[in-house]
């Protein structure tokens, strides 16, 4: 089954020689390739639903990772990816039953600058969020910071309420993009898995 796409930076310029990996639920690499001189990549893998895809180049030096989750490879799929100095980690999207037509997106954005400075909380400042449902812009209704605790470490995450299409339409792919006050960018996506 073919998975193809283009790797770009925040300004849309292609990124050659980026590592693109399909991973299992334990984050172990199953399949890997690199983007070519035009930013394009291709993987030929067995059909299935893959838990994670990551893309990056010069990790923690120049860029942080792009993440995609629950990649459905039951037919050939095109998946363009983009990354910069922010990472949108742990993206989950869910509906709150009885709470209208919105969707809640949870994620923990991280900043390369804060990582390189050795900060404990890697959340960038002055974030703005953009959401896409199946490639179409979806209005953001509310953004709420959340304190996430891992061991003795406290990190800032966000709960983002997204207006879903009317009529109870089920989305196939949700993308969340973030930009900080310095113009740094990050993105992640997740596919909808019924059940």
């Amino acid at each position: 089954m073919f998975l193809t796409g283009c790797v770009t930076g925040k300004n849309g310029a292609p990124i050659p020689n980026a590592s693109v990996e399909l991973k299992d639920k334990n984050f172990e690499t199953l399949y890997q390739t690199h983007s070519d001189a035009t930013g394009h990549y291709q993987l030929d893998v067995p059909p299935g639903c893959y838990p994670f895809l990551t893309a990056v180049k010069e990790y923690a030096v120049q860029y942080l990772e792009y993440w995609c989750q629950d990649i459905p490879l039951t037919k050939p799929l095109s998946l363009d990816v983009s990354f910069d100095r922010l990472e949108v980690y742990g993206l989950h999207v869910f509906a709150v039953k009885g709470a209208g037509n919105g969707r809640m997106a949870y994620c923990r954005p991280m900043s390369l600058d804060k990582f390189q400075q050795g900060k404990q909380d890697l959340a960038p400042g002055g974030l703005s969020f953009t959401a896409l449902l199946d490639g179409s812009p979806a209005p953001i209704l509310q953004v709420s910071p959340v304190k996430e605790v891992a061991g003795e470490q406290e990190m800032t995450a966000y709960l983002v309420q997204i207006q879903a299409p009317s009529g109870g339409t089920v989305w196939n792919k949700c993308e969340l993009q973030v930009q900080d006050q310095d113009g740094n960018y990050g993105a992640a996506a997740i596919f909808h898995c019924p059940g």
Side-chain angles (χ1 to χ4, degrees):
M1 196 62 55
F2 285 105
L3 173 65
T4 59
C6 189
V7 182
T8 60
K10 70 174 182 178
N11 58 4
I15 298 179
N17 203 35
S19 175
V20 179
E21 300 181 8
L22 281 173
K23 297 177 180 285
D24 65 17
K25 64 182 180 179
N26 298 315
F27 304 109
E28 297 292 330
T29 300
L30 300 170
Y31 304 97
Q32 179 184 26
T33 191
H34 288 85
S35 57
D36 65 18
T38 65
H40 289 88
Y41 74 91
Q42 177 176 298
L43 282 165
D44 184 7
V45 300
C49 186
Y50 291 87
F52 300 105
L53 176 140
T54 60
V56 73
K57 180 179 180 179
E58 300 174 36
Y59 177 74
V61 175
Q62 182 69 26
Y63 301 107
L64 289 180
E65 290 174 309
Y66 169 91
W67 286 84
C68 185
Q69 295 181 72
D70 301 331
I71 302 95
L73 285 174
T74 55
K75 59 184 178 182
L77 177 68
S78 177
L79 179 63
D80 292 336
V81 304
S82 60
F83 55 79
D84 185 43
R85 296 178 66 82
L86 301 184
E87 183 172 322
V88 180
Y89 184 78
L91 177 63
H92 288 283
V93 177
F94 57 95
V96 177
K97 295 185 184 204
N101 200 35
R103 297 294 180 265
M104 303 302 281
Y106 182 87
C107 66
R108 185 175 359 115
M110 297 186 289
S111 160
L112 177 57
D113 293 338
K114 287 194 171 184
F115 176 81
Q116 290 174 337
Q117 294 165 10
K119 303 283 186 183
Q120 180 176 338
D121 188 346
L122 301 179
L127 281 180
S128 62
F129 290 83
T130 302
L132 300 169
L133 291 176
D134 296 324
S136 297
I140 293 184
L141 303 175
Q142 181 70 32
V143 176
S144 302
V146 177
K147 288 298 180 186
E148 184 178 313
V149 178
E152 296 181 17
Q153 186 174 357
E154 192 173 273
M155 300 162 284
T156 303
Y158 288 86
L159 193 59
V160 181
Q161 187 178 9
I162 302 167
Q163 179 64 51
S166 61
T169 304
V170 175
W171 54 274
N172 180 50
K173 182 173 80 167
C174 178
E175 299 171 79
L176 199 63
Q177 302 167 353
V178 297
Q179 189 165 339
D180 71 9
Q181 59 199 8
D182 299 319
N184 297 311
Y185 166 86
I190 187 168
F191 284 88
H192 176 72
C193 286

